[in-house]
Amino acid sequence: MYQINFSQPAHIHFIGIGGISMSGLAAILLNRGFSVSGSDSRKSELTEHLASLGAEIFVPQSAANVTGDIGLVVYTAAIHPDNPEYAAAESAGIPMMSRAELLGQLMQNYLTSVAVAGTHGKTTTTSMIAHILMAQDLDPTISVGGILPSIGGNIRIGASDYFLTEACEYTNSFLHLSPTIGLILNIDADHLDFFKDLDDIRHSFRLFAEKIPAEGTLVIHADIPDLDKFTEGLPCRVATFGVGCGDYHAENVTWDDLGCASFDLYAEKQDKDRLLGRFSLRVPGEHNIGNAAAAIACADLLGISGECAAKGFLGFSGTDRRFQKKGVVGGVTVIDDYAHHPTEIRATLSTAKKYPASRIWCVFQPHTYSRTKALLNEFADALSLSDKVVLADIYAARETDSLGVSSSLLRQKVEEAGTEAWYFPTFDEIETFLLEKCAPGDLLITMGAGDVWMIGDRLLGK
């Protein structure tokens, strides 16, 4: 594989530079003196920011963008060999690597690298750890898969030997990483357009655990089924976490009026526990206690005190699209959330039930045909936690075959599960319906990994 010489910056071209992770990596390379160019299908705030940093941005993608002075081309998992720039680079014999391969090589430049893996909760947990590292003044470099207000975006470039990133399992991207601390938050069936089944996903997470060196640590949720399949025989240290279980365990949980938890966190040391402190979260939901326990475990392993971790949590009120309050219109509170898997939907709607509201309306946009078909009944069961469900068309993302599944079929399944549901093919129809049906005191959640957030913004006049 082509090896980047970070002491001799070259010209690197990114195909799909507007992606949340790609844009972050491009910014880091610009900071290191590399010449960066890149293309995408459209301009965005992320591409505009990169242009302000000195990157050359091309819209749309074209073979003409691949010039002879380029030393390396980086591409995302969504880019296929028939992409004009990919084909041009391959024809010209320019070295190429995936986004994950670049991330893996970049991480090798840091003494302490933390990678957060799991099918859910990566962005929130990475953000929690980021706040703790910053509270300790460790000046980390951070790459997060969402917009984190405290760092003004998705990337923070530090001057220390600390690097923090998400580790995505899709297309086995995380197997290109070798973190000194690797976290596994949970493992569910997802990305079934790539993985064959849950066993295939579990196998990949075991391979991720094996990437951690002997001097490193795996931090893993104690409740993962057949936990020893992921930990047995590893050369590295293993630390478990959980709520009421694990080496790092949360106890004595209390809740405020907005569904945010406070809890004690204990760490086992030989034959007795040690109390790391009492922690109060500013993000709601029971699932976030587990995320926070993982973040505290990581902090403790880095020698950061419980007091400092607690300070970090007080400064963290969430990332964009994670139970994000967008505003209030006509007495209706509008929340936006990225949940696009039944486990995430269940966690979000369980959180919403702790929120002071008369009724919960969930406007859900399914993400990819393959996920919707594989988990159709699970989606219906999770969505039935809402009082009312409104469905938008499936967001196809990278897929073209509908596989015979539709939002209309999902609506039928939700109603069979006992919750009133509607389906509309356009956002305009959904907005008109909501304006007519929602009442003061209701909580309206736009939910999904596509562009469903636009509905809430339009209702709020944004």
Side-chain angles (χ1 to χ4, degrees), residues 320-323 336-341 344 446-450:
D320 285 6
R321 304 221 61 214
R322 272 70 178 181
F323 211 82
D336 183 55
D337 196 273
Y338 190 70
H340 56 284
H341 183 281
E344 298 164 351
T446 55
M447 184 185 292

Side-chain angles (χ1 to χ4, degrees), residues 240-254:
T240 59
F241 70 91
V243 181
C245 61
D247 300 323
Y248 291 87
H249 48 279
E251 305 280 358
N252 307 318
V253 178
T254 59

Side-chain angles (χ1 to χ4, degrees), residues 132-360:
I132 293 171
L133 296 178
M134 291 188 294
Q136 185 70 22
D137 294 325
L138 292 179
D139 194 18
T141 295
I142 300 163
S143 176
V144 63
I147 301 302
L148 182 58
S150 59
I151 64 174
N154 64 318
I155 191 76
R156 181 189 190 275
I157 299 173
S160 73
D161 272 322
Y162 289 87
F163 187 92
L164 169 66
T165 186
E166 294 185 30
C168 180
E169 73 277 9
Y170 184 57
T171 68
N172 281 329
S173 292
F174 60 177
L175 300 187
H176 295 289
L177 312 182
S178 297
T180 55
I181 297 179
L183 284 74
I184 298 180
L185 304 175
N186 40 61
I187 305 172
D188 270 334
D190 200 8
H191 298 304
L192 296 175
D193 57 329
F194 175 77
F195 295 107
K196 293 191 291 289
D197 50 30
L198 180 57
D199 286 340
D200 191 23
I201 296 170
R202 286 170 58 87
H203 174 68
S204 287
F205 274 92
R206 166 68 196 202
L207 294 179
F208 170 75
E210 292 175 359
K211 300 287 290 183
I212 302 169
E215 64 274 16
T217 305
L218 170 66
V219 179
I220 186 168
H221 202 299
D223 275 344
I224 291 176
D226 297 318
L227 185 64
D228 61 331
K229 297 289 180 64
F230 301 95
T231 60
E232 188 175 18
L234 292 179
C236 67
R237 175 183 176 183
V238 175
T240 59
F241 70 91
V243 181
C245 61
D247 300 323
Y248 291 87
H249 48 279
E251 305 280 358
N252 307 318
V253 178
T254 59
W255 301 93
D256 69 13
D257 291 341
L258 296 179
C260 298
S262 293
F263 57 91
D264 296 326
L265 199 289
Y266 292 89
E268 291 183 359
K269 189 174 184 180
Q270 297 178 344
D271 295 329
K272 61 180 181 179
D273 289 353
R274 57 191 172 102
L275 177 63
L276 296 183
R278 182 140 185 103
F279 302 88
S280 295
L281 303 182
R282 295 183 60 204
V283 287
E286 187 170 359
H287 59 292
N288 276 321
I289 305 174
N291 293 336
I296 297 165
C298 180
D300 187 58
L301 292 165
L302 292 172
I304 299 172
S305 70
E307 291 81 4
C308 189
K311 179 182 176 184
F313 287 132
L314 290 178
F316 176 62
S317 56
T319 56
D320 285 6
R321 304 221 61 214
R322 272 70 178 181
F323 211 82
Q324 179 187 8
K325 183 177 179 179
K326 303 299 290 286
V328 179
V329 56
V332 177
T333 300
V334 179
I335 300 286
D336 183 55
D337 196 273
Y338 190 70
H340 56 284
H341 183 281
T343 300
E344 298 164 351
I345 293 168
R346 189 173 294 279
T348 298
L349 292 177
S350 295
T351 298
K353 286 183 175 297
K354 293 184 172 68
Y355 205 91
S358 303
R359 296 179 300 178
I360 300 170

